[in-house]
Every structure is written in structure tokens, then in C-alpha cells.
Amino acid sequence: MVNRINKVDFHYVANNAAHRTIEITTKQLIVRRGQPFLLTLEMLQSFSVGDTLLLTVETGPAPLERHGTRSQFGNPSPKYPRDAKAVWKYEIDRRAVLERGIVALSVTPPIDAPVGKYSLSAMTHGETKNLGTLVVLFNPWCSDDWMYLPDDRERQEYVMNEEGTVYTGTSDCISSLPWIFGQFEEEMVDICLKILDANLKHIKDPAGDTSARCNPIYVSRVISAMVNSNDDQGVLVGRWDGKYSDGCSPTYWTSSVSILQRWFQNRCSPVKYGQCWVYAAVMCTVMRFFGIPCRVVTNFQSAHDSNNSLTIDECYDDYGVRSKETSESVWNFHVWVEGWMKRPDLMKGGMYDGWQVLDPTPQEKSEGVFCCGPAPVNAILRGDTDVKYDVPFVYAEVNADIVKWMIGTNGSKKKMYTDSMSVGQSISTKAVGSWKRVDITDSYKHKEGSAAERAIFKRAVRMNSKEGQGCDIEEAPQYVEMKIKEETKAINGQDVKLSLKLSSKDHTNKVLSVRVNAQAMRYNGNPAGNILNKVQHVTLLSRQDVAIPLLIPFADYSKHMVNCDSIKVSAVASDSDEYYQTETNITLEQPVISMKVLDPVHVNREMTLEVEFKNPLNERLRNCSLTVIGCGLFKSDYVKSDLREVEPNATLRVKITTTPYRAGLKTVVADFDCSSFRDIKSSCIVDVKP
């Protein structure tokens, strides 16, 4: 009589807990490669060690041993082809009771197994039975895996943490944006696997693509390409022109889950709209789900170099206004992610292992596709622009020199000076285990202006430039120094008070024509509207200073700043044929919203939150809406769009009820939007008791 399998136990709870996937689900098996899991087969009869029991795992549309997408293993031991990859194994577990037919197996996915969904079947004495499915992820807890991260506190932060912070603003005024990554929400399994299956490489070569998913370098490039929709059915559409009426403004989002749900539920139709921090946060979610340690990184004063020159040309006219929008620009900030992995493909003895820059924002193509990285952070620090992938572009983002030009009324072009200090400021990420900001600029470049930094820059230019292009240009001395500073804190809803200080650096008196311009700016360095023009003649005596007060009234900037991120104030002083220039970015401090929990909070019991906002203006706020989200608290976004108008200087209070479904410390994020203030964020911690 054939000894058939009567029952299968995947031990979902125990296995998922051991593999640190219990937060995702207890309804399917999700394991990490290189780590055994328990599988129990209940046979109709007693079982002996020598009995036939062959297990087969398969993934992808055309599974083969040589692709590592199929493996048959067990007793009798199969003969593997010489080119077989990713060979699985099992051992009889000590919990087996063979005489009663209880066959407990310790099954180990190999360390080079492709990530993804597998079918599992068993053969006993010529009879095959389908046992079910399982999902295999990368394993940063396993020292043999390419993304092994030895520090457990870092694993908790960069793999397990579902909440975090994205830094925005300017280098002088850094803002903290709370974000819900939500990589362990149950639907993330289907969503993240669909992201891999929807990529162009899978469509063109499904078997080859599935096989390549053993490699985190390959997988991370696929994710980078798929988070944007420029080449494929990717997740997000990018838009930077302020026209978002047919979708959501990029500033609206507070959670990757909201975006990924929309994409998946709408049959992979790209979600409108995203910008760099949204792209990066969504990519961080997908990377953490698959088990690749990942963190969101913000580079302030970030250069976009479109021609690999490692310089950015900025042009001004007599009023300090940029003469046109160009493909090259310096962004107030730009956000990407870093993924942690080994780089054996570079064959440098581990020199380039560790953090790798990956950027899903569609800026330039990499090997014909809008993606970027992985670019080793250590290669960027060393100026090794010949290293894969996309190191020259990322190097320029943190190191490019800015060349400033004056464009005359007749179209003539005169170089004012080269700024080698501004690009790549306060490169920031969230601290491990706390909400503090960590400055990681030193991991990308040597101290700005140091001999080492300049030497590496010149080497990078030589490696990256066309023949004959140089970088040693003698700069003319600057005889007038200019600086703009805030006299009081710039607060949205109040007049902005500044001063322009001019300092003579030589022994001659000068009569200067000073032109001051203020523009509403999008964060990517492009102007959106003119706010102020001012012309003044100043006599600057030898070795003396002059201060000019500047005022930007709220009435002048308010209509421009609803969809803009900062005010760029620039000043150009001219003395016959000489030009002097300075500028600063003013970020307006936004009013605050507050949240508090009204009662003790327990799993599966209704809780109440109160959100409060005070209108600081002497005008009515219209079109008010409130969105609240939190992992383990809300299954989807809580949106209240029927709020009444908020009267001048009045306070709005909204009570929200929900039922938590997961215990632990959870973060709630709220977004308030209205006619005068765009997407003000706030967050609070909720301690959900069992």
C-alpha cells in the first residue's frame, strides 16, 4: 500500500516568527533564505528514514535547475545537473514521530535562492501531491547572504521599522516629514511580488528575470526602475509643475501603503503624482519588504548634472532672475535611498561593499532605463567614477561645482565666479533607534574645500570629462562680498524681514547698482513666479560695510507659496563691468497641527484621536481636508474632506475613531490641507496594548 500524505502543517506562526515575518501575516509561509523552517507531513502509515520522500520547489513560469528556479531534493537523493543552482535540502527534524507517520522536516532554502513565490510539492512512491506555496525573501540575519548586516539594532531600523522620517527643506532650515513605510502590511506580499513581475525585463525574458532575483544588485535596480513609471507600468508618475488637479499633489502623501494600494488595486496603473521624497520612501518600503536593509537619505543643495561635466551652469540677468529653466539645476534637496549589500561584481576585495545609492526618481537613464544605482557610497567618496552603477551622476549630486554667469541684455555671457562649496550639504538620514537626524556627509565626501576634497574632485573630472576639458581655471578676486540674512524667523502668514550686507574687500570706493529679486521656487531649483524686484544705488566706501533692509510682505508672496517650497532671494551688484552676486533660500515655517489620544489604547478596541489646528491668518481657510494614517491602526487612509471652513484665527478640532489591529508602539500621521496652506503634517506615537 502506498504511504500517502494525509495532512500538511506549514507552522505559519512559529516559522514566520522565527523568520521575522510574523508582522506580515499568519496565513501564509514567508521565510528567509539560508535559514531552515519546519514542515510537518502527516502520513497515512508509519514512515522510515529510507522511505521515498522527494520535495520539489518551483518559482517562475519556466522553472529549471540550472536557473535556480527549480529544485528537487530529499530521498533518494536526486542527481543534479552540473550547472544546477540554488539547491534546497531537508533533514528529518527531532520533532518527528516516524512510527506514527508524523514526518517533521527542517527545510532550508539555499542562500542563493531567487526571492519570490514558490510552489511546493512532495512525491512518495511515485505519487505527487501539491502541498501549497511559500514566499522566500533575502536574509540580512544570515552571514552568508549578500545583504548581511551584523548589527541587530541596524537590522531593526533598516529592515523591520515600518515608520520613519524623510528630511526636506533647505540646508539652513531642515524639516522632518513623518512617513509610514508599512512594509509588513499583509497586502504588501502580493504588491511587492507584482512589482517584480510587472518589470520590463520580466516581460521580455520571464525565466531569466526570475532566475536573476537571487541577486540583490539586480533586484534593487528593478525596484528603482519600477517605482517610477517612465518606461513601464511603474508605481508613480512624476510631476514638478504644480498642476496636480487630475491626481494628488506629491505633498499630500504620508504613506507608501496608500500609494502601493492604489497602484495594485487599479491593475498597475501608475499613481499621480510623486516627487523625489515620495519615490524614495516607496522604494524603501519595497526594499525592506524583500529583506534588503534600506534607509532614506536627503542631500541638500543637490546638483542635477545632465552632461557628466561635474559642473552646473547657473545664469542670471541684471535682476538676478534665471534667464530660463535648464536641464541642469541645483535642487534645494534631493532624496534617494541607500541599500546595504555586498558588491562581488566589482571584484575589489570588498572595497565597495556596504551602503549603495539607489535613486528611483526619473532623472537620467541608466543602461537605457530610468533607474539609478546601486552606486557604492565608498566609490563616491573616493571619486571612482568608473565604477558601476551611475557613480558619476551621484558624485555630481554631492560634489559638483556651480559656475555662475551673467547674461547681458544683448545676450552676452560673462562669468561671475565658481562656487565649489555649496553643493552637497547636510546629507541626512534618520538615526538608528531614535527620531534624531544623523549627518552622513563625511561618508560621501571629504570636508568641503579641503585638499583631499579638491584633489578627488579634479581626479573625478579628469576621469569623467571629454579629452581636453580642464578644471583648473583661475578665478578673478571678488572685491565685494555680499550676504543676505534673516532678521526674524520667516513664518508663513507674516512679512519676511531680511537684510543685505555688502562688504568692501579692497581700497577703492564704489558706486554700486544693487538689484534684488525674490522668486517663488519649486524645490527642484526651478522658479514658479516673481515676488519682488528692487533696485537701489549704494556707495560702498573702501573696507566698509553697508546694510540694506529688505521686506517681502505676506500679501506679495502668499498667492505664490501655496504650491512652492521656498523663496529664493538673490542680489546682483554691478560696478561698471564687474558683477557680484549672492542668494539665499528662505523656507517659511508652517503653522502646526496637534494630535492626542484621548483614552488608553488596546488591540481590537475602539480608540479616539483628537486633531487640532489653529488658523493663524486674518482670512478664512477654504477647501479644508484631513487625512490620517497609521500602521496597525488604519487599514487604509482615513480621509475627512467635508470639514467646514475655518474662520480667521479660529481653531478646528476633529475627533477620529478607529480600531487598532496590531499591538506595540505605532505612529499616526496626519495631513491637513486647505486653500492657504498645503499639506501640513504632524505625527504622534500610540502605545497599543495587547
Side-chain angles (χ1 to χ4, degrees):
M1 182 178 176
V2 175
N3 195 1
R4 293 189 176 93
I5 298 170
N6 183 45
K7 192 184 296 183
V8 182
D9 189 349
F10 280 96
H11 302 282
Y12 295 136
V13 173
N15 281 326
N16 288 5
H19 287 252
R20 300 168 182 86
T21 61
I22 191 75
E23 288 288 325
I24 305 174
T25 185
T26 58
K27 299 175 184 176
Q28 64 175 319
L29 183 60
I30 304 176
V31 300
R32 299 188 186 275
R33 64 187 195 176
Q35 180 177 340
F37 64 88
L38 181 65
L39 175 70
T40 300
L41 307 178
E42 185 179 307
M43 316 296 287
L44 289 175
Q45 304 173 36
S46 63
F47 185 87
S48 64
V49 174
D51 287 352
T52 296
L53 179 57
L54 285 172
L55 300 184
T56 302
V57 289
E58 295 182 334
T59 186
L64 292 171
E65 280 89 351
R66 62 186 176 87
H67 286 165
T69 52
R70 182 181 191 274
S71 184
Q72 190 174 68
F73 56 103
N75 186 55
S77 182
K79 293 182 179 179
Y80 301 107
R82 288 184 179 180
D83 56 356
K85 299 176 182 176
V87 177
W88 291 53
K89 66 178 181 179
Y90 76 69
E91 297 175 352
I92 302 292
D93 188 81
R94 59 180 174 78
R95 284 162 282 195
V97 187
L98 300 184
E99 63 274 16
R100 290 173 48 198
I102 307 299
V103 184
L105 304 175
S106 177
V107 182
T108 304
I111 205 62
D112 57 344
V115 296
K117 193 167 191 174
Y118 286 75
S119 64
L120 174 63
S121 61
M123 186 175 74
T124 57
H125 300 288
E127 192 167 277
T128 301
K129 180 181 177 66
N130 180 33
L131 302 182
T133 63
L134 68 152
V135 175
V136 176
L137 305 177
F138 293 118
N139 194 349
W141 283 265
C142 180
S143 59
D144 292 328
D145 213 334
W146 284 11
M147 69 292 308
Y148 171 63
L149 192 57
D151 188 322
D152 188 61
R153 291 179 68 251
E154 292 185 346
R155 290 193 295 256
Q156 293 302 316
E157 182 68 49
Y158 301 135
V159 181
M160 302 300 291
N161 197 349
E162 292 188 89
E163 300 149 353
T165 296
V166 180
Y167 295 103
T168 60
T170 66
S171 56
D172 295 324
C173 185
I174 296 174
S175 301
S176 175
L177 175 68
W179 194 270
I180 303 295
F181 295 115
Q183 68 270 24
F184 296 143
E185 290 296 302
E186 191 164 0
E187 60 230 287
M188 287 299 111
V189 178
D190 293 334
I191 293 172
C192 292
L193 293 177
K194 184 63 178 178
I195 285 174
L196 297 189
D197 286 346
N199 93 84
L200 287 178
K201 293 180 179 180
H202 187 77
I203 293 168
K204 292 175 182 176
D205 179 13
D209 171 78
T210 306
S211 175
R213 295 176 189 177
C214 64
N215 186 341
I217 301 166
Y218 177 87
V219 171
S220 64
R221 278 182 68 78
V222 166
I223 297 170
S224 174
M226 278 299 298
V227 170
N228 70 70
S229 62
N230 286 46
D231 309 290
D232 43 43
Q233 285 185 293
V235 175
L236 275 163
V237 180
R239 192 157 195 167
W240 283 264
D241 61 4
K243 299 174 182 177
Y244 311 123
S245 59
D246 60 337
C248 292
S249 167
T251 57
Y252 167 77
W253 307 111
T254 57
S255 166
S256 305
V257 179
S258 311
I259 297 165
L260 291 166
Q261 283 175 336
R262 292 192 190 199
W263 176 78
F264 187 69
Q265 291 166 3
N266 292 319
R267 299 183 179 181
C268 306
S269 178
V271 178
K272 299 176 180 179
Y273 291 99
Q275 291 175 0
C276 71
W277 71 93
V278 186
Y279 284 116
V282 170
M283 182 166 183
C284 184
T285 295
V286 181
M287 294 276 280
R288 287 184 182 182
F289 168 80
F290 280 113
I292 302 174
C294 188
R295 62 187 185 183
V296 177
V297 172
T298 301
N299 176 41
F300 292 94
Q301 288 293 99
S302 187
H304 180 175
D305 175 25
S306 59
N307 62 7
N308 281 349
S309 66
L310 304 188
T311 60
I312 304 294
D313 290 326
E314 287 192 346
C315 298
Y316 300 81
D317 65 17
D318 285 342
Y319 287 90
V321 183
R322 292 148 193 258
S323 58
K324 62 178 180 179
E325 292 190 14
T326 65
S327 60
E328 295 191 330
S329 57
V330 177
W331 298 24
N332 286 356
F333 66 90
H334 182 53
V335 186
W336 55 70
V337 301
E338 290 177 355
W340 178 275
M341 65 191 74
K342 293 180 180 178
R343 292 298 303 273
D345 58 314
L346 301 178
M347 296 183 291
K348 290 289 183 179
M351 179 188 298
Y352 299 123
D353 293 351
W355 290 117
Q356 314 285 320
V357 171
L358 292 141
D359 191 350
T361 301
Q363 297 182 92
E364 303 292 334
K365 287 190 173 184
S366 173
E367 297 185 344
V369 177
F370 278 103
C371 69
C372 179
V377 172
N378 198 40
I380 299 162
L381 176 67
R382 294 166 52 88
D384 294 340
T385 55
D386 58 339
V387 170
K388 284 186 173 182
Y389 292 87
D390 310 306
V391 170
F393 184 76
V394 183
Y395 181 88
E397 288 183 300
V398 301
N399 280 290
D401 283 357
I402 306 172
V403 183
K404 307 219 176 199
W405 302 88
M406 175 58 65
I407 308 298
T409 54
N410 61 356
S412 61
K413 188 175 180 181
K414 179 180 175 63
K415 181 180 176 182
M416 292 189 286
Y417 65 97
T418 298
D419 177 359
S420 62
M421 303 287 286
S422 293
V423 167
Q425 299 291 317
S426 303
I427 303 175
S428 302
T429 192
K430 177 185 174 296
V432 172
S434 81
W435 293 94
K436 294 180 180 178
R437 182 181 69 88
V438 176
D439 191 310
I440 57 172
T441 308
D442 288 348
S443 65
Y444 280 83
K445 60 182 182 179
H446 296 277
K447 186 177 180 181
E448 200 68 72
S450 67
E453 185 268 334
R454 283 291 89 189
I456 289 173
F457 178 81
K458 291 174 182 178
R459 174 174 172 266
V461 170
R462 285 194 300 271
M463 292 177 67
N464 214 47
S465 65
K466 297 175 182 177
E467 189 174 350
Q469 182 178 341
C471 61
D472 293 315
I473 301 172
E474 190 69 28
E475 290 289 323
Q478 291 284 298
Y479 295 117
V480 175
E481 185 178 272
M482 303 170 65
K483 187 173 181 62
I484 300 169
K485 72 171 186 174
E486 296 180 29
E487 289 297 311
T488 58
K489 180 66 180 174
I491 298 174
N492 198 352
Q494 300 180 15
D495 296 346
V496 176
K497 298 176 182 179
L498 311 168
S499 67
L500 170 64
K501 182 180 178 182
L502 297 89
S503 302
S504 170
K505 296 299 179 182
D506 68 355
H507 296 286
T508 61
N509 298 335
K510 294 179 174 62
V511 178
L512 299 171
S513 175
V514 181
R515 295 171 170 85
V516 178
N517 171 266
Q519 291 172 297
M521 300 295 293
R522 298 190 175 97
Y523 85 98
N524 65 348
N526 287 326
N530 204 51
I531 298 172
L532 173 75
N533 283 315
K534 179 178 181 178
V535 182
Q536 187 169 337
H537 295 281
V538 174
T539 299
L540 184 61
L541 301 179
S542 168
R543 300 290 179 179
Q544 298 296 307
D545 298 337
V546 171
I548 302 173
L550 304 174
L551 179 69
I552 306 175
F554 170 67
D556 290 349
Y557 73 72
S558 59
K559 64 181 179 181
H560 296 282
M561 294 307 296
V562 175
N563 288 309
C564 288
D565 300 89
S566 64
I567 300 173
K568 182 175 286 295
V569 183
S570 60
V572 175
S574 59
D575 171 22
S576 63
D577 198 36
E578 294 299 321
Y579 292 94
Y580 311 97
Q581 188 268 349
T582 190
E583 64 184 36
T584 190
N585 289 303
I586 305 297
T587 300
L588 300 173
E589 184 176 291
Q590 301 294 339
V592 298
I593 53 175
S594 63
M595 281 191 294
K596 61 182 178 182
V597 181
L598 299 184
D599 303 297
V601 181
H602 295 270
V603 171
N604 297 323
R605 293 187 199 171
E606 191 174 88
M607 61 169 281
T608 304
L609 282 165
E610 185 175 76
V611 182
E612 183 177 294
F613 175 79
K614 185 179 188 304
N615 179 7
L617 303 182
N618 294 317
E619 60 185 53
R620 183 181 289 113
L621 302 181
R622 296 179 172 85
N623 304 323
C624 300
S625 67
L626 177 69
T627 303
V628 181
I629 192 167
C631 283
L633 301 170
F634 298 87
K635 285 285 187 181
S636 59
D637 295 6
Y638 175 94
V639 181
K640 191 170 182 62
S641 56
D642 58 346
L643 298 173
R644 60 182 173 81
E645 296 180 344
V646 183
E647 296 298 319
N649 302 299
T651 298
L652 171 73
R653 291 184 180 87
V654 179
K655 288 186 178 180
I656 298 166
T657 58
T658 187
T659 303
Y661 53 92
R662 276 163 42 190
L665 293 176
K666 304 297 177 185
T667 300
V668 183
V669 180
D671 171 275
F672 177 75
D673 190 64
C674 65
S675 55
S676 298
F677 302 109
R678 182 59 16 99
D679 294 308
I680 300 171
K681 314 287 187 186
S682 181
S683 65
C684 74
I685 304 297
V686 179
D687 186 3
V688 182
K689 302 295 184 183

